[in-house]
Amino acid sequence: MRKSWIAAAVTAACAIGAQAQSTVQLAGTADMYVGSLRMAGDTSSRNIMGSGGLTTSWFGFSGSEDLGGGLKANFAITSFIQVNNGEQGRFVGDPLFSRDANLGISGNFGSVILGRWLAPNFLPSVIGNPLGDSFVFAPLILHMNVPLFNGTGWQATTPADTGWSNQIAYTTPDLGGLKATLHYQLGNLPSDSGKHNIGVSFLYFGGPLTLTGFYERDQVSNPGTSVYLGTTRTDWMLTGSYDLKFVKPYLGYGQAKADGAPGRAQTLHLGASAPLGGGSLLASWARTKVTAFDISRNTLTVGYDYNLSKRTDLYGMYMNDRITNQKTGNSLAVGMRHRF
């Protein structure tokens, strides 16, 4: 009887220890705004309630298991959501877990991730501008990732989304503030013929100085089922910022080009953030010139982000958007963001 009791106690202790070495976390961001939006080329303004003014709303699970010897097994399954109406995804047809759906392993060597994860362009561009990952108000992100469907013909300069499916990504350990990632996306096409995406990105944090950059060579689309783009497209960008305490200026420059197409898209970005009261004053400007057609897009956003707490903030944004020979767009909105 005593031996049975001891065995049961040892088994329970081992189970508790195993549980202590594994973690699963539910997290996300809910972001909603109300305002009047008009992009360059729109015939009129839209008075709307929208989701994801400063951060695309999302939720999901992530976790890790301590394998011993400094190794960890990791996973992430997260989904975008439109909190103003409850619809999944960022747009119609966006897969349920288009934000993350991956497994990986990490250790002193760095980390390897398999599945759907960040594209090379995402973190460098988000960290490299004061409005972060705003797909509604950040000029740099709008130019890179959001096409217009209003007759202007404006195309995003980044052709393969901010996340890549069927990806193998290796990230180095921290090397004196520098981390670099090699991204490779399998085409998974019926007649693949070697079609794939490949890229590299880096982040450097050295005191007040932040530097980021990426390069992509894209042949297949994202998200969902990969489709051959019909050509090979390349894009790259370098950004830098320096925190002077009273103000943090941002600078970025990049280019995008498609094989067989004339010219290229050249993007220049300037921005700044400054502490003010209980929040931050934000300003961001991007200019993208399509050299083959001598067409330029200029977008300027100024706003204020006020922190109610570490997890909740209120914001107000004004944006002016112009494209050569198109009607000018002006947008004004206020919103609230909560991280959980």
Side-chain angles (χ1 to χ4, degrees):
M1 183 70 177
R2 178 179 173 82
K3 290 181 178 180
S4 298
W5 182 85
I6 293 175
V10 170
T11 301
C14 290
I16 292 172
Q19 290 175 2
Q21 295 174 5
S22 299
T23 61
V24 176
Q25 178 181 352
L26 170 65
T29 297
D31 184 324
M32 292 182 62
Y33 66 93
V34 177
S36 174
L37 299 186
R38 183 175 181 178
M39 309 306 293
D42 285 353
T43 57
S44 62
S45 299
R46 294 176 296 140
N47 296 322
I48 68 169
M49 174 180 287
S51 177
L54 285 188
T55 299
T56 306
S57 299
W58 67 277
F59 73 98
F61 298 90
S62 63
S64 65
E65 179 188 10
D66 190 342
L67 302 175
L71 292 178
K72 288 185 177 181
N74 310 299
F75 82 92
I77 302 175
T78 62
S79 175
F80 293 111
I81 184 172
Q82 299 174 48
V83 294
N84 59 309
N85 56 25
E87 293 182 4
Q88 76 164 66
R90 299 161 291 177
F91 44 78
V92 175
D94 201 18
L96 177 58
F97 295 112
S98 59
R99 189 176 187 273
D100 286 298
N102 57 67
L103 290 170
I105 190 167
S106 60
N108 294 331
F109 64 91
S111 66
V112 175
I113 292 178
L114 306 176
R116 182 163 176 82
W117 190 58
L118 303 176
N121 67 78
F122 184 70
L123 280 181
S125 60
V126 166
I127 294 172
N129 88 91
L131 289 172
D133 56 337
S134 173
F135 284 72
V136 180
F137 299 111
L140 180 62
I141 302 302
L142 287 171
H143 288 208
M144 290 177 58
N145 299 300
V146 185
L148 296 176
F149 301 98
N150 57 4
T152 60
W154 182 264
Q155 298 296 314
T157 61
T158 301
D161 201 15
T162 56
W164 283 2
S165 304
N166 309 310
Q167 180 178 186
I168 304 170
Y170 166 69
T171 300
T172 68
D174 190 308
L175 305 171
L178 174 68
K179 280 190 176 183
T181 302
L182 179 63
H183 307 252
Y184 180 86
Q185 179 185 2
L186 284 74
N188 277 26
L189 300 175
S191 301
D192 194 335
S193 303
K195 299 295 186 294
H196 60 271
N197 292 345
I198 190 168
V200 63
S201 61
F202 77 87
L203 307 173
Y204 173 76
F205 301 97
L209 177 65
T210 299
L211 300 173
T212 78
F214 74 88
Y215 168 83
E216 291 185 10
R217 179 181 179 274
D218 301 321
Q219 294 181 317
V220 295
S221 66
N222 286 281
T225 304
S226 298
V227 176
Y228 176 44
L229 295 172
T231 185
T232 297
R233 303 182 183 183
T234 58
D235 61 310
W236 62 267
M237 179 164 286
L238 296 172
T239 81
S241 63
Y242 196 90
D243 192 350
L244 298 169
K245 302 301 182 183
F246 68 95
V247 66
K248 184 176 182 179
Y250 292 78
L251 173 66
Y253 180 78
Q255 295 187 7
K257 179 175 174 54
D259 285 359
R264 64 192 66 214
Q266 301 172 331
T267 299
L268 173 65
H269 170 257
L270 297 173
S273 64
L276 179 65
S280 297
L281 184 64
L282 307 171
S284 182
W285 171 81
R287 178 180 185 269
T288 297
K289 182 177 182 180
V290 182
T291 60
F293 306 103
D294 196 25
I295 294 174
S296 295
R297 183 180 185 185
N298 288 269
T299 308
L300 170 68
T301 298
V302 293
Y304 183 67
D305 185 23
Y306 179 75
N307 299 312
L308 294 175
S309 70
K310 291 183 178 180
R311 297 190 299 161
T312 304
D313 55 320
L314 301 175
Y315 58 86
M317 296 290 153
Y318 166 76
M319 180 172 67
N320 176 267
D321 190 28
R322 294 179 289 126
I323 296 177
T324 304
N325 299 323
Q326 301 290 337
K327 294 181 178 179
T328 297
N330 289 288
S331 301
L332 184 65
V334 294
M336 178 177 180
R337 176 173 55 178
H338 176 72
R339 306 168 185 85
F340 58 89

Coordinates of all heavy atoms in Angstrom, one line a residue, residues 106-185:
S106 N 13.5 26.6 -30.8 CA 14.5 27.7 -30.5 C 15.5 27.3 -29.5 O 15.2 26.3 -28.7 CB 13.7 29.0 -30.0 OG 13.0 28.7 -28.8
G107 N 16.6 27.9 -29.5 CA 17.7 27.6 -28.5 C 18.8 28.6 -28.7 O 18.6 29.7 -29.3
N108 N 20.0 28.2 -28.2 CA 21.1 29.1 -28.3 C 21.5 29.4 -29.8 O 22.2 30.4 -30.1 CB 22.3 28.5 -27.6 CG 22.1 28.4 -26.1 OD1 21.4 29.2 -25.5 ND2 22.7 27.4 -25.4
F109 N 21.1 28.5 -30.7 CA 21.4 28.7 -32.1 C 20.5 29.7 -32.8 O 20.8 30.1 -34.0 CB 21.3 27.3 -32.8 CG 19.8 26.8 -32.8 CD1 19.0 27.2 -33.8 CD2 19.4 26.0 -31.8 CE1 17.6 26.7 -33.8 CE2 18.1 25.6 -31.8 CZ 17.2 25.9 -32.8
G110 N 19.5 30.1 -32.1 CA 18.5 31.0 -32.7 C 17.1 30.3 -32.8 O 16.8 29.6 -31.8
S111 N 16.4 30.5 -33.8 CA 15.1 29.8 -33.9 C 14.8 29.4 -35.4 O 15.2 30.1 -36.3 CB 14.0 30.7 -33.4 OG 13.8 31.8 -34.2
V112 N 14.0 28.4 -35.5 CA 13.4 27.9 -36.8 C 11.9 27.8 -36.7 O 11.4 27.3 -35.7 CB 14.0 26.6 -37.2 CG1 13.4 26.1 -38.5 CG2 15.5 26.7 -37.4
I113 N 11.2 28.4 -37.6 CA 9.8 28.4 -37.7 C 9.3 27.8 -39.0 O 9.8 28.1 -40.0 CB 9.2 29.9 -37.5 CG1 9.5 30.4 -36.1 CG2 7.7 29.9 -37.8 CD1 9.0 31.8 -35.8
L114 N 8.3 26.9 -38.9 CA 7.7 26.3 -40.0 C 6.2 26.6 -40.1 O 5.5 26.5 -39.1 CB 7.9 24.8 -40.0 CG 9.3 24.2 -39.7 CD1 9.2 22.7 -39.6 CD2 10.2 24.6 -40.9
G115 N 5.7 27.1 -41.3 CA 4.3 27.3 -41.4 C 4.1 28.8 -41.9 O 4.9 29.4 -42.5
R116 N 2.9 29.3 -41.5 CA 2.6 30.7 -41.9 C 3.1 31.6 -40.8 O 2.8 31.5 -39.6 CB 1.1 30.9 -42.0 CG 0.8 32.3 -42.5 CD -0.6 32.5 -43.1 NE -0.9 33.9 -43.3 CZ -0.5 34.6 -44.4 NH1 0.2 33.9 -45.4 NH2 -0.7 35.8 -44.6
W117 N 3.9 32.6 -41.2 CA 4.5 33.5 -40.3 C 4.8 34.8 -41.0 O 4.5 35.0 -42.2 CB 5.8 32.9 -39.7 CG 6.4 33.6 -38.6 CD1 5.9 34.0 -37.4 CD2 7.8 34.2 -38.5 NE1 6.8 34.6 -36.6 CE2 7.9 34.8 -37.3 CE3 8.8 34.2 -39.4 CZ2 9.1 35.4 -36.9 CZ3 10.0 34.8 -39.1 CH2 10.1 35.4 -37.8
L118 N 5.5 35.7 -40.4 CA 5.8 37.0 -40.9 C 6.6 37.0 -42.2 O 7.5 36.2 -42.3 CB 6.6 37.9 -39.9 CG 6.0 38.1 -38.5 CD1 6.9 38.8 -37.6 CD2 4.7 38.8 -38.7
A119 N 6.2 37.8 -43.2 CA 7.0 38.0 -44.4 C 8.2 38.9 -44.0 O 8.2 39.6 -43.0 CB 6.2 38.6 -45.5
P120 N 9.3 38.9 -44.9 CA 10.4 39.7 -44.6 C 10.1 41.2 -44.4 O 10.7 41.9 -43.6 CB 11.4 39.5 -45.8 CG 11.0 38.2 -46.3 CD 9.5 38.1 -46.1
N121 N 9.1 41.7 -45.1 CA 8.8 43.2 -45.1 C 8.2 43.7 -43.8 O 8.2 44.9 -43.6 CB 7.9 43.5 -46.3 CG 6.5 42.9 -46.2 OD1 5.7 43.4 -45.5 ND2 6.3 41.8 -46.9
F122 N 7.5 42.8 -43.1 CA 6.6 43.2 -42.0 C 7.3 44.0 -40.9 O 7.1 45.2 -40.7 CB 5.8 42.1 -41.5 CG 4.8 42.5 -40.5 CD1 3.7 43.3 -40.9 CD2 4.9 42.3 -39.1 CE1 2.7 43.7 -39.9 CE2 4.0 42.7 -38.2 CZ 2.9 43.4 -38.6
L123 N 8.1 43.3 -40.1 CA 8.7 43.9 -38.9 C 9.6 45.1 -39.3 O 9.5 46.2 -38.6 CB 9.5 42.9 -38.1 CG 8.7 42.0 -37.2 CD1 9.6 41.1 -36.4 CD2 7.8 42.8 -36.2
P124 N 10.5 45.0 -40.3 CA 11.3 46.2 -40.6 C 10.5 47.5 -40.9 O 10.8 48.6 -40.5 CB 12.1 45.7 -41.8 CG 12.2 44.3 -41.6 CD 10.9 43.8 -41.1
S125 N 9.4 47.3 -41.7 CA 8.5 48.5 -42.0 C 7.7 49.0 -40.8 O 7.5 50.2 -40.6 CB 7.6 48.2 -43.2 OG 6.8 47.1 -42.9
V126 N 7.2 48.1 -40.0 CA 6.4 48.4 -38.8 C 7.3 49.2 -37.8 O 6.9 50.2 -37.2 CB 5.8 47.2 -38.2 CG1 5.2 47.5 -36.8 CG2 4.7 46.7 -39.1
I127 N 8.5 48.6 -37.5 CA 9.4 49.2 -36.5 C 9.9 50.5 -37.1 O 10.3 51.5 -36.4 CB 10.5 48.2 -36.1 CG1 9.9 47.1 -35.4 CG2 11.6 48.9 -35.3 CD1 10.8 45.9 -35.1
G128 N 10.0 50.6 -38.4 CA 10.7 51.7 -39.1 C 9.8 52.9 -39.3 O 10.2 53.9 -40.0
N129 N 8.6 53.0 -38.8 CA 7.7 54.2 -38.9 C 7.0 54.4 -37.6 O 6.6 53.5 -36.9 CB 6.8 54.0 -40.1 CG 5.5 53.3 -39.8 OD1 4.5 54.0 -39.5 ND2 5.5 52.0 -39.9
P130 N 6.6 55.7 -37.3 CA 6.1 56.0 -36.0 C 4.6 55.5 -35.8 O 4.1 55.5 -34.7 CB 6.1 57.5 -35.9 CG 6.2 58.0 -37.4 CD 6.9 56.9 -38.1
L131 N 3.9 55.1 -36.9 CA 2.5 54.7 -36.8 C 2.5 53.2 -36.8 O 1.4 52.6 -36.9 CB 1.7 55.3 -37.9 CG 1.4 56.8 -37.7 CD1 0.7 57.3 -39.0 CD2 0.5 57.0 -36.5
G132 N 3.6 52.5 -36.7 CA 3.6 51.0 -36.6 C 2.9 50.3 -37.7 O 3.1 50.6 -38.9
D133 N 2.0 49.3 -37.2 CA 1.4 48.5 -38.2 C -0.1 48.9 -38.5 O -1.0 48.1 -38.6 CB 1.4 47.0 -37.7 CG 0.7 46.8 -36.4 OD1 0.7 47.8 -35.6 OD2 0.3 45.7 -36.1
S134 N -0.2 50.2 -38.7 CA -1.5 50.8 -39.1 C -1.7 50.7 -40.6 O -1.1 51.4 -41.3 CB -1.7 52.2 -38.6 OG -2.9 52.8 -39.1
F135 N -2.7 49.8 -41.0 CA -3.0 49.6 -42.4 C -4.1 50.6 -42.8 O -4.6 50.5 -43.9 CB -3.4 48.2 -42.6 CG -2.3 47.2 -42.7 CD1 -1.6 46.9 -41.5 CD2 -1.9 46.7 -43.9 CE1 -0.6 46.0 -41.5 CE2 -0.8 45.8 -43.9 CZ -0.1 45.5 -42.7
V136 N -4.4 51.5 -41.9 CA -5.5 52.6 -42.2 C -4.8 54.0 -42.3 O -5.2 54.7 -43.2 CB -6.6 52.6 -41.2 CG1 -7.6 53.6 -41.5 CG2 -7.2 51.2 -41.1
F137 N -3.8 54.3 -41.4 CA -3.3 55.6 -41.3 C -1.8 55.7 -41.5 O -1.3 56.9 -41.7 CB -3.7 56.2 -40.0 CG -5.2 56.3 -39.7 CD1 -5.8 55.5 -38.8 CD2 -6.0 57.2 -40.5 CE1 -7.1 55.5 -38.6 CE2 -7.3 57.2 -40.3 CZ -7.9 56.4 -39.3
A138 N -1.0 54.7 -41.5 CA 0.4 54.8 -41.7 C 0.8 54.9 -43.1 O 0.6 54.0 -43.9 CB 1.1 53.6 -41.1
P139 N 1.3 56.1 -43.6 CA 1.6 56.3 -45.0 C 2.5 55.2 -45.6 O 2.3 54.7 -46.7 CB 2.3 57.6 -45.0 CG 1.6 58.4 -43.9 CD 1.5 57.3 -42.8
L140 N 3.6 54.8 -44.9 CA 4.5 53.8 -45.4 C 3.8 52.5 -45.6 O 4.0 51.8 -46.6 CB 5.7 53.7 -44.5 CG 6.7 52.6 -44.9 CD1 7.4 53.1 -46.2 CD2 7.8 52.5 -43.8
I141 N 3.0 52.1 -44.6 CA 2.3 50.8 -44.7 C 1.3 50.8 -45.8 O 1.1 49.8 -46.6 CB 1.7 50.4 -43.4 CG1 2.7 50.4 -42.3 CG2 0.9 49.1 -43.5 CD1 3.9 49.4 -42.5
L142 N 0.6 51.9 -46.0 CA -0.4 52.0 -47.0 C 0.2 51.9 -48.4 O -0.3 51.2 -49.3 CB -1.1 53.4 -46.9 CG -2.2 53.5 -45.8 CD1 -2.6 55.0 -45.7 CD2 -3.4 52.6 -46.0
H143 N 1.3 52.6 -48.6 CA 2.0 52.5 -49.9 C 2.5 51.1 -50.2 O 2.4 50.6 -51.4 CB 3.1 53.5 -50.0 CG 2.7 54.9 -50.1 ND1 3.4 55.9 -50.6 CD2 1.6 55.6 -49.6 CE1 2.8 57.1 -50.6 NE2 1.7 56.9 -49.9
M144 N 3.0 50.4 -49.2 CA 3.6 49.1 -49.4 C 2.6 48.0 -49.6 O 2.8 47.1 -50.3 CB 4.6 48.8 -48.2 CG 5.8 49.6 -48.1 SD 6.8 49.2 -46.7 CE 7.1 47.4 -46.9
N145 N 1.5 48.1 -48.8 CA 0.7 46.9 -48.6 C -0.8 47.0 -49.0 O -1.5 46.0 -49.0 CB 0.8 46.4 -47.2 CG 2.2 46.1 -46.8 OD1 2.8 45.2 -47.3 ND2 2.7 46.8 -45.8
V146 N -1.3 48.2 -49.3 CA -2.7 48.4 -49.5 C -3.0 48.9 -50.9 O -2.9 50.1 -51.1 CB -3.3 49.3 -48.4 CG1 -4.9 49.4 -48.5 CG2 -3.0 48.8 -47.0
P147 N -3.5 48.1 -51.8 CA -3.9 48.6 -53.1 C -5.2 49.4 -53.0 O -6.0 49.3 -52.1 CB -4.1 47.3 -54.0 CG -4.4 46.3 -52.9 CD -3.7 46.6 -51.7
L148 N -5.4 50.3 -54.0 CA -6.7 51.0 -54.1 C -7.6 50.5 -55.2 O -7.1 50.1 -56.3 CB -6.4 52.5 -54.4 CG -5.6 53.3 -53.3 CD1 -5.3 54.7 -53.8 CD2 -6.4 53.3 -52.0
F149 N -8.8 50.3 -54.9 CA -9.8 49.8 -55.9 C -10.8 50.9 -56.3 O -12.0 50.6 -56.4 CB -10.5 48.6 -55.3 CG -9.6 47.5 -54.9 CD1 -9.2 47.4 -53.5 CD2 -9.0 46.6 -55.8 CE1 -8.3 46.3 -53.2 CE2 -8.2 45.6 -55.4 CZ -7.8 45.5 -54.1
N150 N -10.3 52.0 -56.6 CA -11.2 53.2 -56.9 C -10.9 53.8 -58.3 O -11.3 54.9 -58.6 CB -11.0 54.3 -55.8 CG -9.6 54.7 -55.7 OD1 -8.7 54.3 -56.4 ND2 -9.4 55.6 -54.7
G151 N -10.2 53.0 -59.1 CA -10.0 53.5 -60.5 C -8.6 54.2 -60.7 O -8.3 54.5 -61.8
T152 N -7.9 54.4 -59.6 CA -6.6 55.0 -59.7 C -5.5 54.1 -60.2 O -4.5 54.5 -60.8 CB -6.1 55.6 -58.4 OG1 -6.0 54.5 -57.4 CG2 -7.1 56.6 -57.8
G153 N -5.8 52.8 -60.1 CA -4.8 51.8 -60.5 C -3.6 51.6 -59.5 O -2.7 50.9 -59.9
W154 N -3.7 52.2 -58.3 CA -2.6 52.1 -57.4 C -2.5 50.7 -56.9 O -3.4 50.1 -56.4 CB -2.8 53.1 -56.2 CG -1.6 53.0 -55.3 CD1 -1.5 52.3 -54.2 CD2 -0.4 53.7 -55.5 NE1 -0.3 52.4 -53.6 CE2 0.4 53.3 -54.4 CE3 0.1 54.5 -56.4 CZ2 1.7 53.8 -54.3 CZ3 1.4 55.0 -56.3 CH2 2.2 54.6 -55.2
Q155 N -1.2 50.2 -57.0 CA -0.9 48.8 -56.6 C 0.1 48.9 -55.4 O 0.9 49.8 -55.4 CB -0.3 48.0 -57.7 CG -1.2 47.8 -58.9 CD -2.4 47.0 -58.5 OE1 -2.3 45.9 -57.9 NE2 -3.6 47.4 -59.0
A156 N -0.1 48.0 -54.5 CA 0.9 47.9 -53.4 C 2.3 47.5 -53.9 O 2.4 46.7 -54.8 CB 0.4 46.8 -52.4
T157 N 3.3 48.2 -53.3 CA 4.6 47.9 -53.8 C 5.2 46.6 -53.3 O 6.1 46.0 -53.9 CB 5.6 49.0 -53.4 OG1 5.6 49.1 -51.9 CG2 5.2 50.4 -53.9
T158 N 4.6 46.0 -52.2 CA 5.0 44.7 -51.8 C 4.0 43.7 -52.3 O 2.8 43.8 -51.9 CB 5.0 44.6 -50.2 OG1 5.9 45.6 -49.7 CG2 5.4 43.3 -49.7
P159 N 4.4 42.7 -53.1 CA 3.4 41.9 -53.9 C 2.9 40.7 -53.1 O 1.9 40.1 -53.6 CB 4.2 41.5 -55.1 CG 5.6 41.4 -54.6 CD 5.7 42.5 -53.6
A160 N 3.5 40.3 -52.0 CA 3.1 39.0 -51.5 C 2.8 39.0 -50.0 O 3.1 38.1 -49.3 CB 4.3 38.0 -51.7
D161 N 2.0 40.0 -49.6 CA 1.4 40.1 -48.3 C 2.5 40.3 -47.2 O 3.7 40.3 -47.4 CB 0.6 38.8 -48.0 CG -0.4 39.0 -46.8 OD1 -0.7 40.2 -46.5 OD2 -0.9 38.0 -46.3
T162 N 2.0 40.5 -46.0 CA 2.9 40.7 -44.8 C 3.1 39.4 -44.1 O 3.9 39.4 -43.1 CB 2.2 41.8 -43.8 OG1 0.9 41.3 -43.5 CG2 2.1 43.1 -44.5
G163 N 2.5 38.4 -44.5 CA 2.8 37.0 -44.0 C 2.9 36.0 -45.1 O 2.3 36.2 -46.1
W164 N 3.8 35.1 -44.9 CA 4.0 34.0 -45.9 C 3.6 32.7 -45.4 O 3.9 32.3 -44.3 CB 5.5 33.9 -46.3 CG 6.0 35.0 -47.2 CD1 5.3 36.1 -47.7 CD2 7.3 35.2 -47.7 NE1 6.0 36.9 -48.5 CE2 7.3 36.4 -48.5 CE3 8.5 34.4 -47.6 CZ2 8.4 36.8 -49.2 CZ3 9.6 34.9 -48.3 CH2 9.6 36.1 -49.1
S165 N 2.9 31.9 -46.2 CA 2.5 30.6 -45.9 C 3.6 29.6 -46.3 O 4.5 30.0 -47.1 CB 1.2 30.2 -46.6 OG 0.2 31.1 -46.3
N166 N 3.5 28.3 -45.9 CA 4.4 27.3 -46.3 C 5.9 27.7 -46.2 O 6.7 27.5 -47.1 CB 4.1 26.9 -47.7 CG 2.7 26.5 -47.9 OD1 2.1 25.7 -47.2 ND2 2.1 27.1 -49.0
Q167 N 6.2 28.4 -45.1 CA 7.5 29.1 -44.9 C 8.4 28.3 -44.0 O 8.0 27.7 -43.0 CB 7.3 30.5 -44.4 CG 8.5 31.3 -44.2 CD 8.3 32.7 -43.7 OE1 9.2 33.5 -43.6 NE2 7.0 33.0 -43.4
I168 N 9.7 28.4 -44.3 CA 10.8 28.0 -43.4 C 11.6 29.3 -43.1 O 12.1 29.9 -44.0 CB 11.7 27.0 -44.1 CG1 11.0 25.7 -44.5 CG2 12.8 26.6 -43.1 CD1 11.8 24.8 -45.4
A169 N 11.6 29.6 -41.8 CA 12.3 30.9 -41.4 C 13.3 30.6 -40.3 O 13.0 30.0 -39.3 CB 11.3 31.9 -41.0
Y170 N 14.6 31.0 -40.5 CA 15.6 30.9 -39.5 C 16.0 32.3 -39.0 O 16.4 33.2 -39.8 CB 16.8 30.2 -40.1 CG 18.0 30.3 -39.1 CD1 18.1 29.7 -37.9 CD2 19.1 31.2 -39.5 CE1 19.1 29.9 -37.0 CE2 20.2 31.3 -38.6 CZ 20.2 30.7 -37.4 OH 21.2 30.9 -36.5
T171 N 16.0 32.5 -37.7 CA 16.4 33.7 -37.1 C 17.6 33.5 -36.2 O 17.7 32.6 -35.4 CB 15.3 34.3 -36.2 OG1 14.1 34.6 -37.1 CG2 15.7 35.7 -35.6
T172 N 18.6 34.3 -36.4 CA 19.9 34.2 -35.6 C 19.6 34.6 -34.2 O 18.6 35.2 -33.8 CB 21.0 35.1 -36.2 OG1 20.6 36.5 -35.9 CG2 21.1 34.9 -37.7
P173 N 20.5 34.2 -33.3 CA 20.5 34.7 -31.9 C 20.8 36.2 -31.9 O 21.3 36.7 -32.9 CB 21.5 33.8 -31.2 CG 22.4 33.4 -32.2 CD 21.6 33.2 -33.5
D174 N 20.6 36.8 -30.8 CA 21.0 38.2 -30.7 C 22.5 38.4 -30.8 O 23.2 37.8 -30.0 CB 20.5 38.8 -29.4 CG 20.6 40.3 -29.3 OD1 21.7 40.8 -29.5 OD2 19.6 41.0 -29.0
L175 N 23.0 39.1 -31.7 CA 24.4 39.4 -32.0 C 24.7 40.8 -31.7 O 24.8 41.6 -32.6 CB 24.8 39.0 -33.4 CG 24.4 37.6 -33.8 CD1 24.6 37.4 -35.3 CD2 25.2 36.5 -33.0
G176 N 24.8 41.2 -30.4 CA 25.1 42.5 -30.1 C 24.1 43.5 -30.5 O 24.4 44.6 -30.9
G177 N 22.8 43.1 -30.4 CA 21.7 44.0 -30.8 C 21.2 43.7 -32.2 O 20.1 44.3 -32.5
L178 N 21.9 42.9 -32.9 CA 21.4 42.6 -34.3 C 20.8 41.2 -34.4 O 21.4 40.2 -33.9 CB 22.7 42.6 -35.2 CG 22.4 42.2 -36.7 CD1 21.5 43.1 -37.4 CD2 23.7 42.0 -37.4
K179 N 19.7 41.1 -35.0 CA 19.1 39.8 -35.4 C 18.7 39.8 -36.8 O 18.2 40.8 -37.4 CB 17.8 39.5 -34.5 CG 18.0 39.0 -33.1 CD 16.7 38.6 -32.5 CE 17.0 38.0 -31.1 NZ 15.7 37.5 -30.5
A180 N 19.0 38.7 -37.5 CA 18.7 38.6 -38.9 C 17.9 37.3 -39.2 O 18.0 36.3 -38.4 CB 20.0 38.5 -39.8
T181 N 17.0 37.4 -40.2 CA 16.1 36.2 -40.5 C 16.2 35.9 -42.0 O 16.1 36.8 -42.8 CB 14.6 36.5 -40.1 OG1 14.6 36.8 -38.7 CG2 13.8 35.3 -40.4
L182 N 16.3 34.6 -42.3 CA 16.3 34.2 -43.7 C 14.9 33.5 -43.9 O 14.5 32.6 -43.1 CB 17.4 33.2 -43.9 CG 17.4 32.5 -45.3 CD1 17.7 33.6 -46.4 CD2 18.5 31.5 -45.4
H183 N 14.2 33.9 -44.9 CA 12.8 33.5 -45.1 C 12.8 32.7 -46.5 O 13.3 33.2 -47.5 CB 11.8 34.6 -45.3 CG 11.8 35.6 -44.1 ND1 10.8 35.7 -43.2 CD2 12.7 36.5 -43.7 CE1 11.1 36.6 -42.3 NE2 12.2 37.2 -42.6
Y184 N 12.1 31.5 -46.5 CA 12.0 30.8 -47.7 C 10.6 30.2 -47.8 O 10.2 29.5 -46.8 CB 13.0 29.6 -47.8 CG 12.9 28.8 -49.1 CD1 13.5 29.2 -50.3 CD2 12.1 27.7 -49.1 CE1 13.4 28.5 -51.4 CE2 11.9 26.9 -50.3 CZ 12.6 27.3 -51.4 OH 12.5 26.6 -52.6
Q185 N 9.8 30.5 -48.8 CA 8.4 30.0 -48.9 C 8.4 29.1 -50.1 O 8.7 29.5 -51.3 CB 7.4 31.2 -49.2 CG 6.0 30.7 -49.3 CD 5.0 31.7 -49.7 OE1 5.4 32.9 -49.8 NE2 3.7 31.4 -49.8

